[in-house]
């Protein structure tokens, strides 16, 4: 579920700017469900540069 070379399935690698969270390759800089780290922002929050509700 968090393996760098087996994200969600065997042999599935993610690109440099992404991370494996719950078996999905996500961009921690922009993903509302995984902002800065896996499972960080609250529902409805925005994610900018890895920070929730950055203004």
């Amino acid at each position: 579920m968090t393996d760098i070379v087996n994200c969600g399935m065997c042999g599935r690698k993610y690109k440099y700017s992404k991370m494996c969270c719950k078996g999905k390759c996500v961009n921690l800089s922009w993903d509302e469900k995984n902002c800065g780290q896996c499972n960080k922002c609250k529902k409805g929050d925005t994610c900018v540069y890895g920070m929730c509700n950055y203004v």
Side-chain angles (χ1 to χ4, degrees):
M1 298 306 273
T2 59
D3 189 335
I4 189 170
V5 293
N6 300 293
C7 185
M9 65 194 314
C10 293
R12 183 176 176 194
K13 297 179 184 180
Y14 53 84
K15 295 182 181 179
Y16 170 72
S17 63
K18 296 188 176 186
M19 183 90 175
C20 186
C21 293
K22 293 185 179 179
K24 294 182 180 180
C25 298
V26 296
N27 185 326
L28 298 180
S29 294
W30 307 104
D31 188 281
E32 283 85 13
K33 294 180 182 176
N34 303 287
C35 187
Q37 62 188 11
C38 297
N39 301 319
K40 185 177 179 187
C41 289
K42 296 175 187 172
K43 187 175 180 178
D45 286 353
T46 58
C47 179
V48 180
Y49 303 115
M51 295 177 274
C52 299
N53 288 329
Y54 178 77
V55 181

